[in-house]
Amino acid sequence: MLVLTRKAKQSIMIGDGIEVTVVEIRGDAVRLAIDAPRQVPVHRKEVYEEIQRENREASAVSVEDATVIERLLSGGEGTAADRGAGGKI
């Protein structure tokens, strides 16, 4: 980990396209401005960790889901529970 000391209005560069500027220092809080290309996501760490957690949960496939998907892909009709109230898959 690289540790740098910066004063208000001073910046650091990350690669060629990301500039981090210290905007304000007030007590133990530091305000940063981050200038990065639009395609580079920038999040506070706690937000990033929540996004990662939600992505892991969303990508988890249960055994039942996998069975239904396999049955559908193989051309099977599935069960009444798979079809739900509408009677179709």
Side-chain angles (χ1 to χ4, degrees):
M1 174 184 298
L2 174 64
V3 178
L4 301 171
T5 301
R6 299 277 74 198
K7 296 179 181 178
K9 309 287 189 263
Q10 292 182 331
S11 300
I12 65 166
M13 294 297 299
I14 301 173
D16 291 330
I18 301 173
E19 181 178 5
V20 180
T21 304
V22 177
V23 175
E24 179 181 21
I25 303 168
R26 190 182 311 163
D28 63 348
V30 177
R31 293 186 69 202
L32 302 173
I34 302 166
D35 185 12
R38 189 168 295 282
Q39 69 270 20
V40 175
V42 177
H43 302 287
R44 294 187 331 256
K45 185 174 181 180
E46 62 274 15
V47 172
Y48 174 80
E49 289 171 345
E50 179 66 15
I51 291 168
Q52 294 300 308
R53 185 189 65 75
E54 289 179 5
N55 286 343
R56 280 191 302 276
E57 288 178 7
S59 67
V61 177
S62 70
V63 173
E64 294 81 16
D65 292 341
T67 302
V68 171
I69 291 168
E70 183 179 342
R71 197 175 307 129
L72 291 172
L73 291 175
S74 67
E77 290 294 316
T79 66
D82 298 336
R83 289 188 293 274
K88 295 184 179 180
I89 297 180

